[in-house]
Amino acid sequence: MQHKLVKGGLPAKTTTQHQRHRGCVYLIGAGAGDVELLTVKAYRLLQQADIVLYDWLANKEILKLLPAKTETVFVGKRAGHHSMPQEKICQLLTEHALMGKQVVRLKGGDPSIFGRLNEETRALSAHDIPFAIIPGITAASGCAAYSGIPLTERSCSQSVRFVTAHFKNPAEQPDWQNLASSRDTLVFYMGLNRITDIADQLIDHGMDKHLPMAIIDQGTTTGQQVCCTTLGSVGQQALWHDFTGPALIIVGEVVNKRQKVDLPLLAKQHS
């Protein structure tokens, strides 16, 4: 590549150099709890980051993998706790990138599934900041695998739906009639405080009250707990009342296909 000379005989900055000076952003999925579910690509980019902005769903053990020089900033949001507004998170991403830093936005699970990805990428695009998205293992895949529940099964469920249970606006409620009439596996994210409401809504809109339901707390971690029940009896099930979250809810016949997973096989010390 030829460089255009400027006063003093030094080459002017190329477009590539200018982009490097502006910095960039990687939106990375941390996976579903277990640190070792982090992808190889995500690990490499974390090692190269100048600053990591992480949320509460990302396992804090991941931060121990970072070089000592890496700056970390908590930008988490959690129901019932003080949280950083999304506008402020977008502002921090753009500010640090415009300072020439390599920025990582570390999100729990997969960035594109209930991760407000579009709001952050739109802000980056508005400032002409280059970015890339690194997928992660979403909670549905991770929790189902570690609890032995298949998300699909050809005899009873050939598709799966991911549904947010975080209903801020009554007008944004899911189409309960459509969900209740479906034979899909239903996976509800962020639903720990709405378990009985979800069950009641599905029953009220025609779903069989005997349909199985699984609640998975702290999935893929050493603290994972699983409560299997039915839509009609979940209110009388005491186990999940002690769950602390994050929790995932699976509704469908696939819950009855659950098989025992030997989780110690996944432990680091296993040989």
Side-chain angles (χ1 to χ4, degrees):
M1 179 185 295
Q2 292 184 343
H3 296 281
K4 183 179 180 181
L5 294 180
V6 295
K7 186 176 180 179
L10 296 176
K13 288 184 177 180
T14 65
T15 301
T16 302
Q17 289 172 316
H18 177 68
Q19 289 176 341
R20 186 179 297 118
H21 177 72
R22 286 172 62 85
C24 61
V25 175
Y26 292 98
L27 301 108
I28 294 178
D34 187 341
V35 174
E36 292 186 317
L37 293 181
L38 195 71
T39 65
V40 174
K41 185 177 291 293
Y43 176 81
R44 174 177 64 81
L45 294 171
L46 282 165
Q47 297 303 302
Q48 299 171 359
D50 295 308
I51 183 170
V52 175
L53 281 65
Y54 66 97
D55 64 33
W56 82 276
L57 284 173
N59 192 327
K60 306 306 177 291
E61 293 296 310
I62 293 175
L63 302 181
K64 296 179 181 179
L65 303 176
L66 302 176
K69 65 179 178 60
T70 309
E71 182 181 357
T72 59
V73 179
F74 176 68
V75 296
K77 295 187 288 294
R78 186 178 185 184
H81 295 70
H82 175 73
S83 60
M84 183 176 291
Q86 185 62 47
E87 295 77 11
K88 178 62 176 177
I89 297 174
C90 292
Q91 180 183 344
L92 287 174
L93 287 173
T94 56
E95 285 179 352
H96 286 289
L98 290 173
M99 285 190 285
K101 298 179 182 179
Q102 182 161 312
V103 183
V104 164
R105 173 70 171 102
L106 187 64
K107 298 168 174 283
D110 182 275
S112 66
I113 299 178
F114 307 126
R116 307 187 77 165
L117 178 69
N118 183 56
E119 295 172 64
E120 296 177 3
T121 56
R122 191 168 62 240
L124 296 172
S125 295
H127 289 83
D128 196 28
I129 296 170
F131 66 86
I133 303 164
I134 292 80
I137 295 176
T138 188
S141 297
C143 293
Y146 277 53
S147 60
I149 299 173
L151 286 176
T152 61
E153 214 287 328
R154 62 180 181 175
S155 67
C156 60
S157 178
Q158 297 183 349
S159 56
V160 58
R161 297 195 201 187
F162 298 161
V163 187
T164 177
H166 190 57
F167 314 134
K168 271 185 139 183
N169 187 336
E172 296 175 351
Q173 290 274 334
D175 186 345
W176 292 110
Q177 187 66 53
N178 184 275
L179 292 176
S181 63
S182 170
R183 292 191 63 198
D184 299 338
T185 300
L186 305 180
V187 180
F188 291 88
Y189 285 64
M190 300 168 283
L192 182 59
N193 297 323
R194 297 180 173 86
I195 291 173
T196 55
D197 180 51
I198 289 169
D200 290 344
Q201 289 282 5
L202 290 172
I203 293 171
D204 290 347
H205 287 82
M207 186 168 274
D208 186 350
K209 67 179 182 180
H210 299 295
L211 200 67
M213 179 184 206
I215 305 154
I216 306 167
D217 188 54
Q218 300 182 58
T220 79
T221 72
T222 55
Q224 174 177 295
Q225 296 185 78
V226 182
C227 172
C228 292
T229 180
T230 64
L231 291 176
S233 61
V234 67
Q236 289 74 50
Q237 177 61 256
L239 176 61
W240 65 267
H241 290 283
D242 294 325
F243 287 178
T244 59
L248 190 88
I249 301 165
I250 301 177
V251 178
E253 290 291 349
V254 292
V255 175
N256 284 338
K257 306 297 182 181
R258 183 187 182 198
Q259 299 294 325
K260 180 177 173 55
V261 173
D262 196 339
L263 292 178
L265 291 176
L266 301 175
K268 291 182 180 179
Q269 65 269 23
H270 180 77
S271 58

